[in-house]
Amino acid sequence: MKHLMLLAFFVLIGSFPVPSDVLAQDGARRVDDQPYDEEALAALPGQSFVFYDDGEALFGDDGAYSYTYSAANGGGTAWGSYRVAQDGRVCVTFVNGMSRCDQYVTNRDRTVVITSDGQRFPVRLSHLP
């Protein structure tokens, strides 16, 4: 009888819909992560983030976005535009039509970019204009 009650409980819990972006973010977020607040998101224009592979993301003052790959990753630049979504994620639409939304968090005074599929990319350097 206990087994049937437990099975019914897990079936009931599993039937509640949970948005996939919540699962991805919660699975990748860590206890010390502090999502960028409105002030940090408003300060994105003009900033540049250099990652540990030497790739660089640049947020233009006019909503333009570019990501320049390191020489080790083939070089080249992906161009697009960005916007901040209501949930605080930073969404980029590239000129090739691809798009993505990432969450920016601070962890121990370091910015970390969390992709929608849960990958974490710490920022090595951050530059303001």
Side-chain angles (χ1 to χ4, degrees), residues 39-84:
E39 183 178 338
L41 291 167
L44 280 177
Q47 286 197 52
S48 156
F49 295 105
V50 179
F51 296 88
Y52 280 88
D53 68 351
D54 289 327
E56 181 178 11
L58 178 62
F59 294 89
D61 292 330
D62 58 355
Y65 175 87
S66 67
Y67 183 84
T68 301
Y69 294 89
S70 68
N73 287 320
T77 301
W79 302 96
S81 60
Y82 74 95
R83 66 177 179 79
V84 176

Side-chain angles (χ1 to χ4, degrees), residues 90-110:
V90 178
C91 298
V92 176
T93 301
F94 295 95
V95 295
N96 67 4
M98 300 295 291
S99 63
R100 58 186 265 185
C101 292
D102 301 323
Q103 184 174 33
Y104 283 63
V105 300
T106 303
N107 186 311
R108 298 183 184 162
D109 298 324
R110 172 170 293 152

